[in-house]
Amino acid sequence: PKGYGTMRGYLARPTAAGRAPGVLVIHENRGLNPHIEDIARRLALDNFIAVAPDLLTTQGGYPGDEDKAREAFAKIDQAKAREDWIAATAYTQKVAGGNGKLGATGFCYGGGIVNFLATRVPELAAGVPFYGAAAPAADVSKIKAELFIVYAENDERINAMWPPYEAALKAAGTKYAAQVFPGTGHGFNNDTTPRYDEKAAREAWGKTLALFNRTLRSAT
């Protein structure tokens, strides 16, 4: 299936001179809200070029209200959306000023998309899915990226997918690390919600940057 086509997005660039890696930022099931824009700016401050598309572009864009955003998101054709995210990786890898290296991070829905993209985009060098749906076990052998897989302790639906995913990753010899953050719930990285856990979010983000710095900085 083909995607929806053109998406609007948020692009955050570092101020430092020289080429920087491109990192695709994939939002939750609410579109490109202020929190995801903030994540993109954080990446730019750490000298990455962050590309954060808005899957709600076809619905008129993020509506400025989280409940309305969720309602709009429910109308998205997910088969088309997945093709759009694949196209977004190609854009991010070739973004002006980029060094040709590609990373991706995403949250909730976006975490699941990072896992999916890892199975479909061999150019993806590093992926950090935050509490996202696992990649289909049959496709895990196609993953070339190194992954840091973030889980919340109190997140039954997502965590139930981990044992078969882990078995598939091990069988495939995929380079990965996974961490369950104790006492946290789904969405703990989002500092605009009551689910936010500052200590866990800070540690998870530090490890995210460490992976990207290690895998995306070397010359192509």
Side-chain angles (χ1 to χ4, degrees):
K2 289 288 178 228
Y4 280 106
T6 306
M7 278 200 286
R8 284 184 59 255
Y10 187 81
L11 179 68
R13 291 184 170 282
T15 53
R19 294 187 172 275
V23 176
L24 178 65
V25 180
I26 306 166
H27 54 62
E28 303 170 325
N29 62 345
R30 295 163 180 76
L32 181 62
N33 61 13
H35 172 61
I36 295 298
E37 292 184 354
D38 182 54
I39 292 283
R41 288 191 294 270
R42 288 182 209 177
L43 283 162
L45 286 170
D46 278 292
N47 201 28
F48 297 95
I49 301 170
V51 177
D54 187 2
L55 196 58
L56 294 184
T57 298
T58 58
Q59 304 291 322
Y62 174 71
D65 174 286
E66 295 283 288
D67 290 326
K68 285 183 181 149
R70 271 195 296 270
E71 287 167 25
F73 190 86
K75 298 172 182 159
I76 298 286
D77 178 329
Q78 286 303 324
K80 284 187 174 180
R82 285 191 288 272
E83 297 304 312
D84 283 330
W85 290 118
I86 290 168
T89 63
Y91 174 87
T92 305
Q93 190 182 11
K94 294 181 175 70
V95 69
N99 71 352
K101 295 275 190 176
L102 172 66
T105 187
F107 309 88
C108 308
Y109 161 81
I113 295 296
V114 172
N115 283 320
F116 160 74
L117 288 173
T119 70
R120 287 284 302 269
V121 180
E123 296 82 11
L124 186 68
V128 184
F130 278 73
Y131 27 76
D139 295 335
V140 169
S141 63
K142 298 176 189 154
I143 295 176
K144 301 280 187 279
E146 182 172 345
L147 302 176
F148 173 50
I149 306 166
V150 175
Y151 287 104
E153 182 181 29
N154 306 311
D155 193 7
E156 283 181 32
R157 184 181 71 84
I158 294 296
N159 294 352
M161 304 180 198
W162 173 237
Y165 190 21
E166 181 179 37
L169 288 165
K170 283 183 171 168
T174 309
K175 283 183 81 170
Y176 78 92
Q179 186 168 346
V180 179
F181 286 83
T184 60
H186 189 78
F188 73 76
N189 188 67
N190 189 333
D191 57 9
T192 66
T193 73
R195 299 168 299 181
Y196 178 57
D197 184 305
E198 184 181 7
K199 181 173 177 286
R202 186 172 291 160
E203 182 181 347
W205 191 246
K207 290 183 174 181
T208 299
L209 292 175
L211 174 65
F212 287 159
N213 278 320
R214 180 166 55 77
T215 56
L216 305 179
R217 293 287 179 205
S218 58
T220 46

